[in-house]
C-alpha cells in the first residue's frame, strides 16, 4: 500500500492511499471521516451492512463507527483520499454553515 499523510494546524488529517492486495480489519476512528474513491471500488462493512464506493463515490463515517475495507478487485487496485476531522471542529463548521444558510434565507425573504 502506498500512502501519503498530511496534518495541518487545525488538526485535520488527510490520507491519500493506493492499495491492491491490502485490506483493513475492523476498526474505528475518533474523528468524522470523509472519503472519496478516486479509482477502483472500495468494499467495506459498516454496522453489519456490506457497502461499496465506486469511482467518485463519497463515504462518511461517524466517530467510533466500526468498519473495515478492501479493494473489490485486487487486479484493478484502489485509490482513495480520506479526511479525518475532530468532532468539535466538524460540528463547529457545520453550525457555521447552517447559520449562514439561515441568515441568507432571512435576507432573501426581506428582499
Amino acid at each position: 500500500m502506498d500512502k501519503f499523510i498530511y496534518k495541518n494546524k487545525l488538526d485535520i488529517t488527510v490520507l491519500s492511499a493506493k492499495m491492491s492486495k491490502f485490506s483493513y480489519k475492523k476498526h474505528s476512528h475518533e474523528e468524522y471521516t470523509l472519503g472519496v474513491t478516486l479509482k477502483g471500488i472500495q468494499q467495506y462493512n459498516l454496522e453489519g451492512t456490506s457497502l461499496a464506493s465506486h469511482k467518485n463515490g463519497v463515504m462518511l463515517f461517524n466517530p467510533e463507527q466500526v468498519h473495515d475495507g478492501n479493494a473489490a478487485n485486487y487486479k484493478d487496485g484502489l485509490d482513495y483520499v480520506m479526511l479525518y476531522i475532530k468532532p468539535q471542529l466538524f460540528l463547529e463548521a457545520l453550525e457555521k454553515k447552517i447559520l449562514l444558510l439561515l441568515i441568507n434565507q432571512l435576507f432573501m425573504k426581506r428582499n
Side-chain angles (χ1 to χ4, degrees):
M1 178 169 93
D2 296 332
K3 66 181 178 178
F4 167 79
I5 298 175
Y6 170 78
K7 193 173 216 174
N8 73 7
K9 58 184 167 183
L10 290 176
D11 210 18
I12 296 174
T13 302
V14 179
L15 167 71
S16 175
K18 295 180 181 190
M19 67 168 66
S20 56
K21 295 180 181 179
F22 186 84
S23 62
Y24 290 107
K25 293 181 180 180
K26 287 184 179 182
H27 66 283
S28 65
H29 307 276
E30 65 181 38
E31 306 92 350
Y32 281 95
T33 307
L34 176 66
V36 177
T37 303
L38 304 174
K39 176 188 164 213
I41 301 171
Q42 181 162 348
Q43 291 180 322
Y44 58 100
N45 292 292
L46 182 64
E47 297 182 344
T49 302
S50 181
L51 301 167
S53 176
H54 296 257
K55 183 177 178 180
N56 298 323
V58 176
M59 301 166 284
L60 176 65
F61 302 104
N62 291 314
E64 306 305 332
Q65 203 168 27
V66 178
H67 60 283
D68 60 12
N70 64 279
N73 183 334
Y74 288 143
K75 184 178 176 186
D76 293 339
L78 172 67
D79 295 359
Y80 65 98
V81 292
M82 302 294 282
L83 291 176
Y84 302 90
I85 306 170
K86 298 283 185 194
Q88 186 62 34
L89 182 61
F90 186 87
L91 295 174
E92 286 173 12
L94 187 60
E95 287 172 1
K96 288 178 184 176
K97 181 69 174 175
I98 290 171
L99 182 59
L100 287 174
L101 288 172
L102 290 173
I103 290 169
N104 285 336
Q105 287 178 350
L106 289 173
F107 180 74
M108 293 183 93
K109 286 182 181 179
R110 293 183 180 182
N111 289 330

